[in-house]
Amino acid sequence: MIDYHAQFDQALTRVKSEGRYRVFNELERIVGRFPYAKSHRTGDEVVVWCANDYLGMGQHPKVLRAMTDAINNLGAGAGGTRNISGTHHKIVELEHTLAELHQKEAALVFTSGYIANEASLSTIGSILKDCVIFSDALNHASMIHGIRGSSAQKKIFRHNDTKHLEELLADTPAHYPKIIAFESVYSMDGDIGPIKEICRLARKYNAITYLDEVHAVGMYGEHGAGIAERDGVMDEVDIIQGTLAKGYGIMGGYVATTAVIVDMLRSYAPGFIFTTTLPPSLAAGANASIRHLMESSVEREQHQRNADTLKSMLREVGIPMIECDTHIVPVLIGNPVLCKQASDLLLEQHHIYVQPINYPTVPKGTERLRVTPTPLHTEQMMQEFADALVAVFDTLGIARSACASIGRFAHA
């Protein structure tokens, strides 16, 4: 007799014994008061410091109005998959906007950024015979799973190491199709991929580039198209993948590329074909958010100022961080139990919510609080957060120093 639940319980016990059991904190966002939210755990109002709604666009008046109008005029649901009555006008409008944003021929919207990566990479890697996919060592789980789901051979290059990438490219038969998959902003450490150099290698070795811009779209570049736009290399990237759930504050994912690749994905990718379309309200909200940020740089500029201000405040009080040039502020704890305790103390004693990040999201020994300031966090909020971190670090005996910030962490 097989005791199924005993095996499930043992798996949970292992996670708990390692100090990385995940507890979800139930929050209620408050319209018009972001970054405040109600915590159903404590019953108090808390300041959220770890939202991926990086610019607060999830509560922008233009976005709310577009979504409300869509529900009032078009109803709640999408009606089905794209093939079965789900290709509504709002999703088509959104794809036209995304293609315009990234200056590509076409775009295709998926239900999430995860599905966009998984479906696209698995499909492209399967369609191309004898394909080899070169993947950055710190690529997101969705990219890894997409590559695994393809029939392609995988070669992993050391994080942001273009010399190692070239060695692997040179060692691969010239007639094999090649895809280089990498990210612009890496979400846990906040560093940036060498897009221009990778594109140069792609041209040299006849490869195509697949760039994940999910932590950059909306927030970088003149029109918010991401790091590739900021660095003037958007036209050199073959396939750009992004999300509607972070900088744009809604939900969904997409790829922007050539019309042929979009048509192939539309025709072959199971993660697209067999999934219900985003409803008109989400598509309309995302479109309004993108259109606003294509014209307005106010949110981006304030976002960067706040990230710089918070980093300076944390340096002054000796809070250890991984230094980076982006909006991500990784506060290092280095122990899963202490990381969870720090998060709990911040919530219960200081009305501050920031979720602990543990293995497998980050390597063991690099557990952290991943902090994401937004344009709507005030200087007073930032000072209160810095003071709270000092109190929590001292209570838990976590080391601080007069100059605690560190450089990029060297992953194994």
Side-chain angles (χ1 to χ4, degrees):
M1 193 74 172
I2 301 173
D3 190 340
Y4 293 99
H5 280 86
Q7 294 188 45
F8 297 144
D9 284 339
Q10 288 170 10
L12 287 171
T13 298
R14 285 195 300 272
V15 173
K16 290 176 180 177
S17 68
E18 294 173 7
R20 57 185 184 91
Y21 179 71
R22 298 181 184 219
V23 177
F24 298 155
N25 284 302
E26 184 181 352
L27 299 175
E28 217 174 289
R29 281 154 59 103
I30 305 166
V31 172
R33 299 206 61 216
F34 185 82
Y36 286 103
K38 178 184 177 182
S39 168
H40 280 262
R41 174 173 160 185
T42 67
D44 299 313
E45 254 188 31
V46 299
V47 179
V48 178
W49 278 99
C50 56
N52 280 343
D53 186 357
Y54 293 134
L55 301 177
M57 292 301 294
Q59 298 192 20
H60 194 282
K62 288 183 181 178
V63 174
L64 298 183
R65 187 163 53 250
M67 295 183 74
T68 302
D69 289 347
I71 289 176
N72 289 337
N73 295 322
L74 304 170
T81 65
R82 291 293 290 273
N83 186 52
I84 304 174
S85 77
T87 300
H88 52 78
H89 182 58
K90 293 298 181 183
I91 204 79
V92 175
E93 279 187 332
L94 175 58
E95 288 173 341
H96 288 162
T97 294
L98 289 165
E100 179 186 340
L101 173 70
H102 292 291
Q103 298 174 25
K104 301 297 183 187
E105 291 178 352
L108 194 65
V109 170
F110 296 80
T111 51
S112 71
Y114 190 104
I115 297 299
N117 269 335
E118 188 176 50
S120 299
L121 284 167
S122 63
T123 303
I124 295 169
S126 295
I127 290 291
L128 295 173
K129 185 181 178 182
D130 298 324
C131 181
V132 181
I133 301 180
F134 300 81
S135 177
D136 187 284
L138 293 189
N139 275 343
H140 190 264
S142 58
M143 301 175 77
I144 294 168
H145 291 167
I147 294 167
R148 286 176 179 168
S150 74
S151 57
Q153 179 185 350
K154 177 178 68 175
K155 294 188 178 184
I156 300 173
F157 60 94
R158 290 186 293 270
H159 178 53
N160 280 352
D161 189 336
T162 53
K163 182 179 179 181
H164 186 218
L165 171 60
E166 181 160 22
E167 290 171 0
L168 295 176
L169 287 164
D171 195 43
T172 303
H175 65 281
Y176 281 10
K178 305 170 189 68
I179 302 168
I180 306 173
F182 63 111
E183 300 183 35
S184 59
V185 175
Y186 288 84
S187 63
M188 288 300 124
D189 290 357
D191 57 329
I192 297 174
I195 301 174
K196 189 171 186 64
E197 179 60 18
I198 288 176
C199 288
R200 184 191 69 79
L201 291 175
R203 291 192 301 272
K204 180 177 179 180
Y205 291 94
N206 194 24
I208 62 174
T209 47
Y210 184 102
L211 175 63
D212 179 316
E213 286 257 41
V214 298
H215 292 276
V217 289
M219 296 170 292
Y220 297 91
E222 182 181 355
H223 303 98
I227 297 293
E229 181 187 37
R230 186 199 72 175
D231 293 352
V233 293
M234 197 158 56
D235 61 329
E236 298 182 35
V237 179
D238 297 297
I239 304 169
I240 294 176
Q241 183 268 342
T243 185
L244 306 170
K246 294 180 172 62
Y248 296 124
I250 312 296
M251 176 185 174
Y254 65 89
V255 293
T257 181
T258 65
V260 169
I261 293 176
V262 163
D263 200 16
M264 183 275 294
L265 290 172
R266 182 187 70 84
S267 302
Y268 280 90
F272 175 82
I273 294 171
F274 300 107
T275 303
T276 300
T277 317
L278 289 182
S281 57
L282 292 180
N287 197 48
S289 183
I290 296 165
R291 287 290 176 189
H292 173 79
L293 290 172
M294 286 174 73
E295 299 173 358
S296 172
S297 62
V298 173
E299 294 83 0
R300 282 189 286 279
E301 291 169 358
Q302 187 61 46
H303 186 222
Q304 291 299 314
R305 282 195 295 270
N306 282 3
D308 290 343
T309 298
L310 180 63
K311 289 175 184 179
S312 295
M313 287 182 176
L314 298 185
R315 289 187 196 103
E316 288 176 4
V317 294
I319 298 297
M321 297 180 295
I322 296 175
E323 289 288 0
C324 66
D325 295 325
T326 63
H327 60 283
I328 308 293
V329 186
V331 173
L332 278 176
I333 306 292
N335 177 287
V337 175
L338 287 176
C339 199
K340 177 66 168 61
Q341 290 175 345
S343 175
D344 288 344
L345 286 177
L346 285 168
L347 183 67
E348 294 162 6
Q349 296 185 7
H350 301 277
H351 309 302
I352 287 170
Y353 173 61
V354 55
Q355 186 73 355
I357 304 294
N358 297 327
Y359 177 84
T361 307
V362 295
K364 291 180 179 179
T366 71
E367 292 81 7
R368 67 198 64 177
L369 302 174
R370 178 182 173 274
V371 181
T372 53
T374 74
L376 301 174
H377 284 88
T378 66
E379 193 163 334
Q380 180 180 342
M381 289 177 186
M382 288 187 265
Q383 189 59 62
E384 290 171 353
F385 179 55
D387 293 342
L389 278 176
V390 169
V392 167
F393 268 55
D394 291 350
T395 297
L396 296 176
I398 303 171
R400 294 190 296 119
S401 68
C403 186
S405 297
I406 65 171
R408 284 275 304 111
F409 186 86
H411 292 276

